[in-house]
Amino acid sequence: MKTIQRLIPSAASLLLTFLLPLAAAAADEHKEAKKKALAASDSWLALVDQEKYPESWAAAAEYFRNAVTKQQWQRSLRAARKPLGPVKSRELKSTLYRTSLPGAPDGEYVIIQYNTSFANKKSAIETVTPMLDKDKKWRVSGYYIK
């Protein structure tokens, strides 16, 4: 029994020695993914804010472009954004790295939420979801305003 009691702390220490560096490496990898996804989100939102809707469609992920035509996107985005007016402020609320999302193929995604204030809507939450595209570039695959 004493031998087992001595082994448990040693085994726990051994596990921590190997698992902590792996967890730190995964966290660093996700940090880099989040950084790149945020950059993609910010440049894509700049197009949307400037009402460059065809350009925002062209800059979106292949998955997005295959799901909605450029004309559908322009109509939908115009209908959603026009009544809100121009963006007054946008502040990062959260980022969440995922490899699986409902209704989407497995891959690398970062769900980004912003607290946004528009001229005609003081408080909204924008959700932008960049994904790592086939060419290994981060591009927006989803956009929602709540």
Side-chain angles (χ1 to χ4, degrees), residues 25-73:
D28 285 346
E29 181 181 326
H30 295 166
K31 185 178 180 180
E32 187 62 26
K34 287 180 179 182
K35 181 180 172 182
K36 290 179 179 179
L38 271 168
S41 175
D42 289 344
S43 63
W44 187 85
L45 281 170
L47 294 172
V48 172
D49 291 345
Q50 296 167 35
E51 298 181 17
K52 294 182 177 180
Y53 303 150
E55 291 88 341
S56 71
W57 180 87
E62 180 182 350
Y63 174 74
F64 178 97
R65 294 189 319 270
N66 289 336
V68 62
T69 68
K70 188 187 297 187
Q71 291 75 24
Q72 290 170 327
W73 175 244

Side-chain angles (χ1 to χ4, degrees):
M1 187 67 171
K2 287 185 179 183
T3 303
I4 292 174
Q5 288 174 337
R6 278 186 256 159
L7 285 176
I8 290 173
S10 296
S13 176
L14 186 62
L15 277 175
L16 287 175
T17 301
F18 287 106
L19 292 180
L20 283 177
L22 290 174
D28 285 346
E29 181 181 326
H30 295 166
K31 185 178 180 180
E32 187 62 26
K34 287 180 179 182
K35 181 180 172 182
K36 290 179 179 179
L38 271 168
S41 175
D42 289 344
S43 63
W44 187 85
L45 281 170
L47 294 172
V48 172
D49 291 345
Q50 296 167 35
E51 298 181 17
K52 294 182 177 180
Y53 303 150
E55 291 88 341
S56 71
W57 180 87
E62 180 182 350
Y63 174 74
F64 178 97
R65 294 189 319 270
N66 289 336
V68 62
T69 68
K70 188 187 297 187
Q71 291 75 24
Q72 290 170 327
W73 175 244
Q74 289 178 78
R75 280 194 303 273
S76 296
L77 194 53
R78 194 171 287 115
R81 287 287 300 260
K82 196 77 165 171
L84 302 176
V87 171
K88 295 296 181 187
S89 67
R90 179 180 286 129
E91 190 175 302
L92 181 63
K93 179 180 179 185
S94 65
T95 60
L96 183 63
Y97 177 88
R98 288 285 183 253
T99 55
S100 180
L101 293 176
D106 287 348
E108 291 187 61
Y109 299 86
V110 177
I111 303 164
I112 303 169
Q113 290 194 318
Y114 299 90
N115 290 319
T116 307
S117 179
F118 296 93
N120 301 325
K121 182 160 182 67
K122 191 175 254 185
S123 180
I125 296 176
E126 287 180 295
T127 303
V128 182
T129 308
M131 69 181 292
L132 190 61
D133 228 339
K134 290 178 183 177
D135 64 358
K136 302 297 181 195
K137 292 185 180 178
W138 285 92
R139 292 190 178 90
V140 171
S141 64
Y143 176 65
Y144 309 97
I145 305 170
K146 184 176 174 183

